[in-house]
């Protein structure tokens, strides 16, 4: 029997606030039958600990990832069923000899979610201070799809210049900006909208949010006034 060729999406998680976005993207990729290579930066571990109480450990990444993916955006454990993690491969942030650090390693592209301004600067300047930045640099040089879900506000001029540089280099700059036309009633709906837009940019089918179909007020419950 011929073994199935594995061509994953690399998901990079930087230290910006918004770890529920990353969890929703990983869940969406796995639900869509995609393979995932995961890179969690050192700074993002502090954010994850602060936002969820989860201490992400290299030696126990499967257990910690399972707990992370099971939580809702409100931090409640057991909100989502834990997906099969056999399609996930984890690479330590300091492992610059990891597979995705080379252009010869086959991947579909990279999704950085959330992306901090420090991460944006490092990628725009072509730095490789850790595996996340190195993979982003490789993704650009190989002309693969790179989606950068920047999560910061307000944005200063220098960051805006870095984002323009990424756009000019071929990356898709996707601010983590939830929309409200989809009828959000819970924080998870807003998170899923952003995650869904990331997956849209990657060309991965999903059902994370209600799409606009040209009908005003379609997302409001029946009988609800528009006044």
């Amino acid at each position: 029997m011929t073994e199935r060729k594995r061509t994953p999406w690399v998901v990079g998680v930087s230290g910006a606030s918004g770890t529920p976005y990353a969890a929703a993207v990983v869940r969406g990729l796995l639900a869509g039958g995609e393979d995932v290579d995961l890179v969690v930066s050192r700074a993002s571990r502090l954010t994850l600990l602060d936002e969820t109480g989860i201490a992400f450990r290299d030696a126990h990444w499967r257990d910690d990832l399972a707990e992370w993916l099971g939580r809702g955006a409100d931090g409640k454990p057991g909100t989502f069923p834990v997906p099969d993690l056999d399609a996930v491969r984890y690479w330590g942030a300091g492992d610059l000899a990891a597979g995705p650090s080379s252009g010869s390693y086959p991947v579909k592209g990279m999704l950085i979610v959330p992306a901090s301004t420090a991460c944006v600067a490092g990628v725009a300047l072509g730095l490789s201070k850790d595996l996340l930045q190195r993979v982003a640099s490789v993704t650009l040089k190989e002309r693969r799809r790179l989606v950068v879900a920047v999560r910061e506000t307000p944005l200063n001029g220098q960051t805006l210049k870095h984002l323009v540089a990424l756009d000019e280099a071929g990356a898709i700059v996707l601010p983590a900006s939830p929309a409200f036309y989809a009828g959000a009633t819970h924080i998870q709906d807003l998170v899923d909208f952003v995650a869904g837009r990331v997956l849209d940019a990657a060309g991965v089918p999903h059902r994370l949010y209600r799409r606009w179909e040209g009908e005003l007020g379609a997302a409001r419950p029946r009988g609800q006034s528009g006044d």
Side-chain angles (χ1 to χ4, degrees):
M1 180 180 293
T2 302
E3 184 178 352
R4 180 179 68 89
K5 183 179 180 180
R6 186 177 186 277
T7 309
W9 284 97
V10 179
V11 177
V13 187
S14 81
S17 176
T19 55
Y21 291 132
V25 166
V26 173
R27 284 195 300 266
L29 289 171
L30 295 177
E34 300 287 341
D35 291 316
V36 174
D37 274 23
L38 181 66
V39 180
V40 179
S41 76
R42 290 188 174 92
S44 69
R45 296 173 191 231
L46 296 176
T47 308
L48 182 63
L49 181 63
D50 181 57
E51 294 183 344
T52 69
I54 298 172
F56 198 89
R57 304 158 294 175
D58 285 346
H60 303 280
W61 70 266
R62 288 182 69 94
D63 293 336
D64 297 336
L65 180 59
E67 183 179 357
W68 183 11
L69 297 184
R71 294 194 179 218
D74 57 3
K76 183 178 179 181
T79 300
F80 296 98
V82 178
D84 183 1
L85 298 183
D86 286 344
V88 180
R89 183 176 294 173
Y90 172 74
W91 303 96
D95 185 5
L96 292 178
S101 68
S102 172
S104 66
Y105 183 86
V107 302
K108 293 182 177 179
M110 183 180 192
L111 315 175
I112 305 178
V113 52
S116 66
T117 54
C119 173
V120 166
V123 176
L125 295 173
L127 304 181
S128 295
K129 74 169 189 177
D130 62 8
L131 182 60
L132 193 156
Q133 290 186 7
R134 171 59 185 169
V135 177
S137 179
V138 168
T139 302
L140 289 176
K141 81 179 183 69
E142 296 293 327
R143 303 295 190 265
R144 294 167 180 161
R145 190 165 304 189
L146 174 63
V147 181
V148 181
V150 60
R151 214 306 307 164
E152 185 60 273
T153 189
L155 297 172
N156 63 30
Q158 198 61 49
T159 297
L160 290 170
K161 291 176 183 177
H162 290 151
L163 292 173
V164 170
L166 288 178
D167 176 77
E168 291 176 343
I172 298 173
V173 175
L174 195 153
S177 301
F180 294 84
Y181 64 76
T185 59
H186 189 276
I187 185 175
Q188 188 66 52
D189 297 325
L190 299 176
V191 167
D192 285 347
F193 179 87
V194 172
R197 294 299 286 150
V198 172
L199 295 178
D200 286 344
V204 176
H206 66 87
R207 300 180 65 182
L208 286 176
Y209 68 89
R210 174 191 171 276
R211 297 184 181 278
W212 176 253
E213 296 180 348
E215 182 181 354
L216 293 175
R220 291 197 302 270
R222 292 184 178 180
Q224 181 175 316
S225 172
D227 296 337

